[in-house]
Amino acid sequence: MQKSRSSGSEVVDATGSQKSVVLELASRFGTRVVVLGSGFGGVSFVKSFLSHASSSLLDSVELVWVTKRNYHLFSPLLYQVAGGLVDEHHVLDPLPHFGGNRVRVVEAEVEAVDFTGRAVYTDVGPIGYNYLVVALGSSSNDFGIPGVKENTLPLKTAQDGERIRNRILASFGQAAIIGADSPERVALLTFAVVGGGATGVELAGTIRDYTGLLAKRYGFRRQDVRVLIVESAGTLLPGIGGRLPEKCRQDLESAGIDVRLGARVVKVDVEGVHLSNGELIESRNVFWTAGVKPNPVIEGIPETVAPKKKGRLEVDSNLRLIGHSEVYVVGDCAWVNTGGDTTAAPQTAAAAVQEGEYAGSHLAHTLGGKKVSGSFIYHDQGIMLSLGRFSGLVELANGIILSGLIGWLVWRMVHLVSIATARNKLGVMFDWGLSLVRRRIITRTD
Ligand SMILES: Cc1cc2nc3c(=O)[nH]c(=O)nc-3n(C[C@H](O)[C@H](O)[C@H](O)COP(=O)(O)OP(=O)(O)OC[C@H]3O[C@@H](n4cnc5c(N)ncnc54)[C@H](O)[C@@H]3O)c2cc1C
């Protein structure tokens, strides 16, 4: 959207409509730090800044947190929302838990960032800044494949998780009133996950458990239900080396999941998923976890304004935007420069947390006139996957793999500890407890 400022208090968009400005362009406090996004990067920045800044520094800084929703989404449990295992409210932590009354939360959609004019444009007006933290994450990537947007469901937000669960339940409801020999019933009971990365394998694993439980409730045989993973690479978990991808494939296949490797999707339509070899997987339930692309706001920033690699904003070893030392970029939208074609940190929650922590302490030290910490160094903490009931895979940083029940228990303990609020920890424990006696959410909310 093209914008021009009409005065210090109003913004006019291309259609000529005016919106009131929520914050004056310059801060009354002297220094305004604006944080964009309340995901893993944004939350860990805020926590780190508040813990490293002295109270006199905090009195002279206005911390403004701009984000679409007033919560932090704990995405590692999102696939469990989709599989009816965890209530969606239990993966949403309220922002005041992290920032208290030191932070001003502005619920708004960021539309554009002007690094030169030091202003953020939002749907409730422009906000000026002295320091900016960009933590807007990434969005689902359809790779331009026809029909993906219209005929698949992504898994990125809490609402996506709820939508997938509703779709699964709706399909069972419809299949139950269709004749056993109808091809439509087969398509309704076929669940295809496109993308065999970490999110895809976890989603497929939980769908296998969930649909097994629903099959019993709706009077189907287990073999009436089909769950597939479709992956274009020759292996699951592309990009992850070692023995883990093969072990993951074996575990999923032994759970009854049809793993299709080297299967390239060329189109998705109302019939189902079309592969490059001409095969059609007929399905009314196609879930898209094939990858991510930069957030649209980042996509809208020209490379002449801010250098990018693979669409992500390039930052220096202190996580500051090249050419703009007052701007930090953390999480999925940051490309931590190593001088080569690789980034120093992957697009994971663990990396976003480490980057946010580093940037928060770096800025607090800079503003407090203290010696700043050295360069950002990413610490690999290994990989963890939950593949279904009592089935987990954990690869520790030293290469040791824990699988089956042990891997599953380690996964659950680590994730339970990572949930921010006591309310949600208890909520998730309650949900998990019920699932042990095969009780999941089976009511539609749409
Ligand atoms: C289903 C799923 C499961 C995952 N599981 C794991 C896992 O087990 N382990 C792991 O390490 N990683 C996991 N990830 C990856 C991990 O979630 C991301 O790498 C991590 O969230 C990145 O953090 P971030 O702060 O960059 O972005 P996000 O956490 O995505 O946060 C982005 C924030 O920006 C806000 N935002 C975006 N656009 C706008 C806008 N225009 N205006 C205002 N606000 C905006 C969003 O609302 C959000 O608050 C998973 C991801 C998904 C989708």
Side-chain angles (χ1 to χ4, degrees), residues 373-403:
S373 35
S375 300
F376 169 75
I377 296 169
Y378 168 68
H379 298 283
D380 185 5
Q381 294 167 341
I383 176 162
M384 284 185 195
L385 300 166
S386 173
L387 301 179
R389 193 174 162 83
F390 305 139
S391 170
L393 272 182
V394 176
E395 185 170 43
L396 305 174
N398 59 10
I400 291 175
I401 293 181
L402 309 174
S403 61

Side-chain angles (χ1 to χ4, degrees), residues 8-9 45 65 135-136 148 195 238 244-245 261 293 300 310 345 373 379 390 393 408 414 427:
S9 62
F45 173 87
W65 204 350
L136 290 170
V148 171
L244 203 71
L261 299 177
K293 63 176 183 176
K310 299 195 178 160
S373 35
H379 298 283
F390 305 139
L393 272 182
W408 181 81
V414 169

Side-chain angles (χ1 to χ4, degrees), residues 36-43 65-69 71-79 106-111 134-138 155-157 198-199 202 289 292 295-297 330-334 346-353 355 384-385 411 415:
L36 307 183
S38 56
F40 283 96
V43 162
W65 204 350
V66 185
T67 187
K68 267 191 228 179
R69 304 273 184 268
Y71 55 70
H72 163 64
L73 165 68
F74 190 73
S75 53
L77 290 188
L78 202 46
Y79 79 91
V106 177
E107 275 178 64
E109 175 97 25
V110 176
E111 292 169 345
V134 183
L136 290 170
S138 50
L155 183 62
K156 230 2 200 155
T157 64
T199 302
E202 291 194 319
T289 61
V292 292
N295 180 292
V297 175
V330 298
D332 280 5
C333 56
Q347 286 175 299
T348 62
V353 167
E355 289 166 26
M384 284 185 195
L385 300 166
W411 188 98
H415 284 81

